[in-house]
Amino acid sequence: MVDLFAWLLSFFLLVAILGLLLYQLMCLADLEYDYINPYDSASRINKVVVPSFIAEGMLCILHLIAGHWFMCLLCLPYLYYNFKVYTHGRHLLDVTEIFNQLPWEKKIRLYKLGYLVLLLAFSITWMVWTIVDD
């Protein structure tokens, strides 16, 4: 039962991270199509970057504590990338350079989206496996 609770918590954390990432992509798309000014777009994205990093760290720690070693290993590259970006100070968007960085930022977030969808698929699979096994 505890294992099922861990998988459910993992599922909800992944959905929250995906929601924050989709919000960032939506802000970048609005900026690209000139629906929003650069200052508003950068400030909206910068508000949700650190919470998404924290949620990803919590997800990795949850898998570590629950003993889901494979999922923890799958979460580590994403966590390492977030840590590296945060320690180098490249996690926040600069308002003056946002148009120059727009294609790169969209590409990075699309890669993250694909990676998180893969993690979500594994999480759902193992959650169903746990339900059937009990």
Side-chain angles (χ1 to χ4, degrees):
M1 191 63 165
V2 174
D3 203 30
L4 179 62
F5 179 71
W7 285 118
L8 282 172
L9 192 57
S10 167
F11 173 76
F12 289 124
L13 274 172
L14 276 168
V15 168
I17 296 167
L18 278 169
L20 291 173
L21 192 61
L22 287 173
Y23 177 74
Q24 293 174 28
L25 279 169
M26 186 181 66
C27 287
L28 288 173
D30 286 347
L31 179 66
E32 184 178 23
Y33 292 113
D34 212 17
Y35 295 137
I36 192 170
N37 65 29
Y39 178 78
D40 288 339
S41 181
S43 66
R44 288 178 185 180
I45 292 172
N46 289 342
K47 284 181 187 175
V48 298
V49 168
V50 174
S52 69
F53 285 6
I54 291 170
E56 176 61 33
M58 288 173 42
L59 180 68
C60 192
I61 290 171
L62 170 72
H63 288 306
L64 186 65
I65 291 172
H68 305 144
W69 308 113
F70 185 69
M71 283 297 286
C72 183
L73 287 175
L74 284 178
C75 289
L76 281 179
Y78 189 75
L79 184 66
Y80 173 73
Y81 175 77
N82 287 344
F83 179 75
K84 190 174 103 177
V85 167
Y86 184 78
T87 55
H88 287 102
R90 293 181 289 143
H91 63 289
L92 298 176
L93 289 178
D94 185 17
V95 177
T96 59
E97 291 292 320
I98 196 166
F99 282 113
N100 296 333
Q101 298 172 348
L102 188 62
W104 175 253
E105 293 293 332
K106 280 180 59 177
K107 187 184 298 185
I108 289 294
R109 282 166 176 79
L110 286 173
Y111 284 135
K112 286 182 177 183
L113 182 67
Y115 191 75
L116 288 173
V117 167
L118 180 74
L119 284 179
L120 185 65
F122 279 130
S123 181
I124 289 172
T125 303
W126 278 317
M127 181 172 51
V128 169
W129 186 298
T130 302
I131 291 171
V132 171
D133 200 31
D134 286 343

